[in-house]
Structures are given as structure tokens and as C-alpha cells.
Amino acid sequence: MIESATDRDLPEIRALLERLQLPLAGVDEHLTTMLVAREGGRVVGTAGLELYAGGALLRSVAVEPYKQGKQLGHQLTDAALHLATAHGVNAVFLLTTTAERFFPRFGFEQIDREQVPPSVRASVEFQSACPASAIVMRKQLQ
Ligand SMILES: CC(C)(COP(=O)(O)OP(=O)(O)OC[C@H]1O[C@@H](n2cnc3c(N)ncnc32)[C@H](O)[C@@H]1OP(=O)(O)O)[C@@H](O)C(=O)NCCC(=O)NCCS
């Protein structure tokens, strides 16, 4: 049910992120490490990973509203963390304005922006897509 996204998923991914008011910038460039949850051929959830020299950025964790509260967000986040481990990533970072109480259960803790490696901080999400007030979190993998 959770698998890698393909080019054909892009319109549905973008529409889902738009509906949930999450940033679209950078999604196309990182499609190979985007995961999607499908139901009946439709994309009902996403979780994206952007890989950088200093760590990975977890972004676009999103579940179609009618599917929320059924563990899909958990499964997508777990799958993205497994993908990060498979890529040998040592730390995963994220920015959020809406879900800072969702991620601690996966081992994410709030940190200062200055603690984020420059390669991750240079991402579109950090530079422009997310407001400066967004909370930054990190999960150490190794
Ligand atoms: C955050 C989100 C991905 C969670 O997905 P989900 O499938 O509803 O979550 P799950 O069913 O796996 O987990 C439900 C648990 O998470 C909690 N939860 C869900 N959304 C939350 C949020 N925004 N903040 C804090 N906790 C949240 C629920 O209260 C529930 O807690 P419980 O297990 O103690 O009862 C989903 O609500 C969503 O798409 N939100 C809008 C987009 C968004 O804000 N994404 C985060 C971007 S960084």
C-alpha cells in the first residue's frame, strides 16, 4: 500500500499537498524519494525525503482528511525513516507549523535552526517554502 512515487503520481501528490496547505516547492525534484499510500488506485497519503550531504529532510507528510486518524500518518513516517536508514542517513530533520506534537513519538525533538547542517538548511523548504516561525525537529538515526 505504501510505495515509491512515480511521475504519474505527481498531479495527485501536488493536489493533496495543496489541499492540506503544505509547500509544493521542491516536490518534483525529489520524487524518487517520495512515498505514497494508495487506496483503490488513488493517492491518499504522502511522505517525502530529501537527501543531502548532512542529513535528510522529511517533508510532505500528509494524509487525505477522510483517512486521517487511522495510522496512515504513522505508517508513512515509519516508511520514510526506513528509507532514510536504507540510504545511510545519520539524521533526519523536519520543519512544521502544524504537527510538532505528532513527531516526538518517532523520536523527533525540537532543535534550533543553527543546529541543522548547512546542506539541509540550503533546501527550498528551509530557504523559502516554510515560514521562519516553523518549528525545526531532528531525529538521530546513527
Ligand atoms: C499529521 C498527519 C500526517 C497525521 O496523519 P494521520 O494518519 O491522521 O495520523 P495517525 O492516524 O497515524 O496518528 C494519529 C495520532 O496522531 C495525532 N495527530 C494527528 N495529527 C496531529 C497533529 N497535527 N499534531 C499532533 N498530533 C497529531 C492524533 O491525535 C493521533 O494521536 P493518538 O495516536 O495519540 O490518538 C495528518 O493529520 C495530516 O495530513 N495533517 C495535515 C498536514 C500536516 O500538517 N502535515 C505535517 C507537515 S510537517
Side-chain angles (χ1 to χ4, degrees), residues 20 22 60-64 67-75 94-103 105:
L20 293 172
L22 294 179
S60 307
V61 180
V63 173
E64 194 70 73
K67 294 292 292 179
Q68 288 181 9
K70 297 174 176 153
Q71 297 297 306
L72 202 47
H74 270 81
Q75 290 168 24
L94 65 83
L95 284 164
T96 185
T97 56
T98 52
E100 72 272 14
R101 291 191 313 280
F102 177 71
F103 291 106
R105 65 192 77 198

Side-chain angles (χ1 to χ4, degrees), residues 13-31:
I13 292 170
R14 295 179 70 90
L16 175 62
L17 297 180
E18 237 168 353
R19 277 200 294 284
L20 293 172
Q21 298 181 312
L22 294 179
L24 297 179
V27 166
D28 305 28
E29 292 84 342
H30 297 277
L31 196 62

Side-chain angles (χ1 to χ4, degrees), residues 2-120:
I2 293 177
E3 52 195 18
S4 294
T6 69
D7 286 345
R8 283 193 303 180
D9 295 320
L10 205 45
E12 277 191 83
I13 292 170
R14 295 179 70 90
L16 175 62
L17 297 180
E18 237 168 353
R19 277 200 294 284
L20 293 172
Q21 298 181 312
L22 294 179
L24 297 179
V27 166
D28 305 28
E29 292 84 342
H30 297 277
L31 196 62
T32 54
T33 44
M34 169 74 79
L35 298 170
V36 291
R38 293 180 213 278
E39 189 188 63
R42 282 200 58 209
V43 171
V44 292
T46 57
L49 209 58
E50 297 185 6
L51 301 173
Y52 298 103
L57 178 67
L58 175 62
R59 60 166 297 171
S60 307
V61 180
V63 173
E64 194 70 73
Y66 79 92
K67 294 292 292 179
Q68 288 181 9
K70 297 174 176 153
Q71 297 297 306
L72 202 47
H74 270 81
Q75 290 168 24
L76 283 159
T77 304
D78 278 338
L81 292 173
H82 276 114
L83 184 61
T85 301
H87 279 276
V89 166
N90 60 1
V92 179
F93 301 84
L94 65 83
L95 284 164
T96 185
T97 56
T98 52
E100 72 272 14
R101 291 191 313 280
F102 177 71
F103 291 106
R105 65 192 77 198
F106 302 95
F108 282 93
E109 53 184 7
Q110 192 173 338
I111 58 167
D112 294 328
R113 264 171 200 254
E114 295 66 41
Q115 292 174 267
V116 178
S119 60
V120 179

